[in-house]
Amino acid sequence: MRNIKLTIEYEGSDFNGWQKQPDRLNIQGTIESVIESITGEKVELNASGRTDAGVHAIGQVANFKTNSNIPIEKFAIAINSRLKKTIVVKKAEEVEEDFHARYNCKKKTYEYVINNSEYGSAVFRNLAYHIPQKLDVEKMKEAAQFFVGEHDFKAFKSSGTSSKSSVRTIYDASVIKEGENVRIRLTGNGFLYNMVRIISGTLVDVGLEKLEPEEITKIIEERDRTKAGKTLPAHGLYLVNVEYE
């Protein structure tokens, strides 16, 4: 039995998230159907994590088991030839049998993209969240550093999460201005439900001068969801990278 690891990019606008669901277009089911058509086997695609409806990925990782003898260098080509154009397998690798895309994950990097121009973009409307008010990026950069470290992020999760603990470690947090776009990038050992979108919403409040950067510490300590910012829309969020070592 072979274990195949895929690195996947997708534009999530047309999909109801990663997870397989009956009668709803999803990324997992779409890729599994293509793999079955190629190998003649039903497979279970294990992802590093499930992304919500509308969320995008540049470096999602998933794995599946197969008895197929298709050469590894041909796997990505074969899958991509039958996929929707909004999903691309960027790499296929044969890995050890005990590798699991979710359970072996050590770090993930997410990015939230904000279009901070006056009128927004027609072409990129589904790829970035538009905020017309000018953001104070320097204050956002300062505020982002208060998230770094191990904290209880209870104030930054939506209800409905199945996680027993809300303690997570953020290794790096940055805010980058690139032309009209402001990018909020977070690397951590794991993220709670909607955590990146809520942290991003809180940093936007700092950028709009509704909060001062040092107030982030108090919000974390009080663990009160009502004190943090709003959950920003899904279409600005990207899973950028997954690390295993």
Side-chain angles (χ1 to χ4, degrees), residues 150-242:
E150 183 180 85
H151 304 290
D152 187 334
F153 285 98
K154 187 176 181 180
F156 301 91
K157 70 170 185 175
S158 293
S159 59
T161 180
S162 58
S163 302
K164 293 180 181 179
S165 172
S166 49
V167 175
R168 296 291 186 274
T169 300
I170 298 294
Y171 300 110
D172 186 67
S174 58
V175 180
I176 306 148
K177 181 80 164 71
E178 291 182 347
E180 295 181 337
N181 289 337
V182 176
R183 300 177 178 272
I184 298 167
R185 180 176 281 232
L186 301 169
T187 299
N189 65 351
F191 293 90
L192 302 163
Y193 183 48
N194 284 340
M195 179 173 159
V196 177
R197 290 161 62 186
I198 296 169
I199 287 177
S200 298
T202 306
L203 289 174
V204 165
D205 282 349
V206 172
L208 294 173
E209 300 186 338
K210 296 178 181 179
L211 288 172
E212 289 301 316
E214 56 271 18
E215 291 183 73
I216 299 298
T217 299
K218 186 178 180 183
I219 295 171
I220 292 172
E221 289 174 350
E222 291 185 351
R223 299 187 295 168
D224 184 348
R225 173 68 189 91
T226 64
K227 301 293 178 62
K230 70 177 183 179
T231 305
L232 295 187
H235 68 274
L237 184 62
Y238 295 75
L239 173 56
V240 174
N241 188 41
V242 184

Side-chain angles (χ1 to χ4, degrees), residues 9-233:
E9 178 179 314
Y10 49 84
E11 201 265 276
S13 303
D14 294 337
F15 297 93
N16 196 60
W18 169 271
Q19 188 176 14
K20 188 164 50 180
Q21 303 167 60
D23 304 320
R24 305 194 78 174
L25 186 63
N26 59 85
I27 297 151
Q28 179 186 7
T30 299
I31 300 174
E32 285 182 357
S33 294
V34 168
I35 294 171
E36 182 180 354
S37 73
I38 292 167
T39 64
E41 304 170 321
K42 283 191 175 295
V43 300
E44 182 74 23
L45 199 56
N46 305 302
S48 68
R50 293 177 281 185
T51 51
D52 290 338
V55 174
H56 319 293
I58 296 170
Q60 172 69 284
V61 174
N63 74 289
F64 67 95
K65 303 288 183 70
T66 180
N67 288 307
S68 169
N69 59 4
I70 295 173
I72 192 62
E73 65 271 15
K74 301 291 186 184
F75 248 115
I77 297 169
I79 295 170
N80 287 332
S81 70
R82 303 189 185 192
L83 274 176
K84 293 169 65 71
K85 298 303 181 185
T86 44
I87 307 174
V88 173
V89 173
K90 298 169 73 175
K91 189 176 184 180
E93 307 166 75
E94 195 155 353
V95 291
E96 294 180 1
E97 191 173 350
D98 62 353
F99 173 83
H100 192 287
R102 178 183 174 189
Y103 299 136
N104 295 134
C105 174
K106 302 298 183 187
K107 294 181 183 179
K108 287 183 186 177
T109 298
Y110 281 92
E111 192 168 272
Y112 197 90
V113 182
I114 297 164
N115 181 299
N116 197 210
S117 64
E118 185 176 2
Y119 299 113
S121 169
V123 174
F124 299 107
R125 68 191 182 281
N126 293 324
L127 302 176
Y129 176 51
H130 179 227
I131 297 177
Q133 301 94 331
K134 185 173 176 56
L135 296 171
D136 188 329
V137 175
E138 292 307 310
K139 280 194 172 184
M140 292 172 70
K141 288 180 179 179
E142 183 184 346
Q145 298 314 302
F146 290 101
F147 290 106
V148 176
E150 183 180 85
H151 304 290
D152 187 334
F153 285 98
K154 187 176 181 180
F156 301 91
K157 70 170 185 175
S158 293
S159 59
T161 180
S162 58
S163 302
K164 293 180 181 179
S165 172
S166 49
V167 175
R168 296 291 186 274
T169 300
I170 298 294
Y171 300 110
D172 186 67
S174 58
V175 180
I176 306 148
K177 181 80 164 71
E178 291 182 347
E180 295 181 337
N181 289 337
V182 176
R183 300 177 178 272
I184 298 167
R185 180 176 281 232
L186 301 169
T187 299
N189 65 351
F191 293 90
L192 302 163
Y193 183 48
N194 284 340
M195 179 173 159
V196 177
R197 290 161 62 186
I198 296 169
I199 287 177
S200 298
T202 306
L203 289 174
V204 165
D205 282 349
V206 172
L208 294 173
E209 300 186 338
K210 296 178 181 179
L211 288 172
E212 289 301 316
E214 56 271 18
E215 291 183 73
I216 299 298
T217 299
K218 186 178 180 183
I219 295 171
I220 292 172
E221 289 174 350
E222 291 185 351
R223 299 187 295 168
D224 184 348
R225 173 68 189 91
T226 64
K227 301 293 178 62
K230 70 177 183 179
T231 305
L232 295 187

